């Protein structure tokens, strides 16, 4: 796969030359604290470092085969889990969480605080500690590791379900996220690797016994920005009927976006495809409202962002807006899957009021016709 990368003289964007250089890069990443990086647009964003190393090899024909291999993904899991332990438990991972306002690498620099507030639709003149739980008196803002910062929580009252959305006919956003798409009458099985990337219910749910209840149903997919809140909440009130965790691929991209027209940012152009192949957590909730029936929340962990932690349990009754779990390590995506008989009216992203098209957590996503 390294030999299949088209090399252009003077172009350093195809960053690793061979397998040995890749392993050297991995060793550096495993003990390196994440920091804010600037994009070409001048904004700051998290990058996923392993993906940055593997992006071009993964966009080759051989890379497509390599990153679908079960043994490869099990080995990658061991490496990424080690990195995850560093980010969760090592104080040095919080190196760039400090009070140096002028350092562009700092997660609480003035520039990155502006971005966090912007995506959260929070007033720029209101302090960040009124948006997120943190301690501005602490040298590290009250976070003992980078993962604690990444999985930060909103302050009480910031994302409560609106009183007008308490009705059991209203479905709220399960994540602080943008709309990726809505697809109706989804087939039980489809050729999801094609350029159109149709959904395939059986593959999305890993042939679970509940799959048949969603044939010809509706799939809503949302994407999470790296600057946003990364916990998941219940879109409806109901009882947790089943929980399933599915190990998947880490760096597989849809074939239509391999060279000569590769995805420059890893899996960004393969979002629908990843709903069937990436690491996933499934939470099936039987709604209190019979008109909604069974809903499946699917957390999709892309590339190294494959730590899906579930915080509810089978047979637990959850209230709309209650926490279900969280992502670790980076931004990702999720799906809500509804039965075919459910008639839904979704809000348009323009109605979110956010220039990035982001819906607030626990805000109205759709209404169901009783």
């Amino acid at each position: 796969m390294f030999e299949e990368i088209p090399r252009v003289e003077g172009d350093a964007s195809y960053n690793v030359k061979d397998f040995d250089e890749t392993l050297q890069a991995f060793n550096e990443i495993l003990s390196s604290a994440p920091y804010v990086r600037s994009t070409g647009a001048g904004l700051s964003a998290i990058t996923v470092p392993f993906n940055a190393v593997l992006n071009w090899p993964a966009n080759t024909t051989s890379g497509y085969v390599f990153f679908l291999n079960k043994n490869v993904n099990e080995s990658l899991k061991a490496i990424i889990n080690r990195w995850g332990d560093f980010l969760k438990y090592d104080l040095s991972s919080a190196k760039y969480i400090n009070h140096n306002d002028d350092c562009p690498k700092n997660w609480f620099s003035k520039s990155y605080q502006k971005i966090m507030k912007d995506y959260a639709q929070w007033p720029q003149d209101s302090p960040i500690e009124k948006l997120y739980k943190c301690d501005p008196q602490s040298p590290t803002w009250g976070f003992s590791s980078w993962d604690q910062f990444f999985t930060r929580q909103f302050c009480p009252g910031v994302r409560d379900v609106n009183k007008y959305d308490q009705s059991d006919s209203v479905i709220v956003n399960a994540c602080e996220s943008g709309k990726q798409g809505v697809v109706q009458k989804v087939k039980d099985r489809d050729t999801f690797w094609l350029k159109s990337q149709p959904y395939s219910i059986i593959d999305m749910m890993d042939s679970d016994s509940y799959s048949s209840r969603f044939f010809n149903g509706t799939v809503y997919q949302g994407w999470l920005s790296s600057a946003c809140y990364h916990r998941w909440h219940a879109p409806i009130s109901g009882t947790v009927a089943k929980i399933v965790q599915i190990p998947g691929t880490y760096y597989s991209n849809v074939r239509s976006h391999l060279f000569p027209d590769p995805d420059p940012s890893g899996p960004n152009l393969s979002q629908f495809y990843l709903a069937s192949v990436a690491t996933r957590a499934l939470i099936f909730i039987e709604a209190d409202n019979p008109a909604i029936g069974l809903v499946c929340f699917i957390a999709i962990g892309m590339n190294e962002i494959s730590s899906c932690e579930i915080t509810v349990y089978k047979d637990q009754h959850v209230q709309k807006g209650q926490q279900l779990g969280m992502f670790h390590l980076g931004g990702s995506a999720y799906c809500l899957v509804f039965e075919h008989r459910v008639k839904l009216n979704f809000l348009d992203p323009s109605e979110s009021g956010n220039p990035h098209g982001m819906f607030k957590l626990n805000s109205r996503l759709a209404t169901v016709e009783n």
Side-chain angles (χ1 to χ4, degrees), residues 47 54 81 111 160 164 185 196 203 221 226 277 310 343 347 356:
T47 59
L54 296 173
N81 284 350
S111 59
D160 289 348
Y164 300 107
K185 298 182 179 179
S196 60
D203 293 291
Q221 184 162 340
S226 56
V277 300
I310 297 170
K343 307 300 181 185
L347 270 69
H356 307 288

Side-chain angles (χ1 to χ4, degrees), residues 8 39 64 68 108 139 156 159 165-166 239 325 342 364:
V8 179
T39 68
Y64 174 78
L68 283 176
F108 279 93
R159 288 293 188 266
D165 296 332
Q166 295 286 357
T239 301
V342 182
R364 183 177 298 207

Side-chain angles (χ1 to χ4, degrees), residues 195-253:
K195 190 164 188 176
S196 60
Q197 299 180 57
Y199 291 114
S200 176
I201 292 293
I202 289 175
D203 293 291
M204 292 173 73
M205 298 183 180
D206 198 35
S207 302
D208 188 84
S209 59
Y210 277 141
S211 298
S212 59
R213 289 186 62 172
F214 299 96
F215 295 169
N216 294 309
T218 299
V219 175
Y220 170 87
Q221 184 162 340
W223 59 274
L224 285 72
S225 166
S226 56
C228 287
Y229 175 86
H230 277 83
R231 294 172 184 249
W232 334 315
H233 291 243
I236 55 170
S237 294
T239 301
V240 178
K242 193 173 190 177
I243 291 172
V244 181
Q245 290 192 298
I246 305 169
T249 65
Y250 287 89
Y251 300 99
S252 179
N253 295 331

Side-chain angles (χ1 to χ4, degrees), residues 306-326:
S306 294
S307 180
C308 301
E309 179 186 354
I310 297 170
T311 57
V312 292
Y313 54 87
K314 185 179 182 298
D315 297 328
Q316 179 180 352
H317 186 272
V318 293
Q319 293 295 329
K320 185 189 301 183
Q322 183 177 336
Q323 180 177 297
L324 298 176
M326 70 196 80

Side-chain angles (χ1 to χ4, degrees), residues 271-286:
Q271 297 271 339
F272 292 175
Y273 165 77
L274 292 174
S276 292
V277 300
T279 297
R280 306 182 294 293
L282 278 55
I283 303 175
F284 294 92
I285 303 174
E286 191 71 53

Side-chain angles (χ1 to χ4, degrees), residues 15 30-31 33 36 43 48 61 72 89 99 119 123 148 176 192-193 208 229 252 266-267 276-278 330 339 345:
N15 41 21
L30 285 173
S31 58
V36 179
L43 297 176
V48 276
T61 301
V72 168
Y89 308 119
H99 286 270
Y119 273 87
Q148 277 197 5
E176 189 94 349
F192 57 85
W193 54 85
D208 188 84
Y229 175 86
S252 179
S276 292
V277 300
E339 297 180 67
N345 297 312

Side-chain angles (χ1 to χ4, degrees), residues 1-7 14-23 26 53-58 60-63 66-67 259:
M1 63 185 175
F2 291 101
E3 293 172 355
E4 290 174 9
I5 299 173
R7 305 287 178 178
Y14 305 156
N15 41 21
V16 290
K17 299 181 180 66
D18 53 40
F19 189 70
D20 288 339
E21 189 173 329
T22 298
L23 295 182
F26 281 7
V53 173
L54 296 173
N55 188 51
W56 295 126
T60 65
T61 301
S62 292
F66 183 76
F67 289 109
F259 284 109

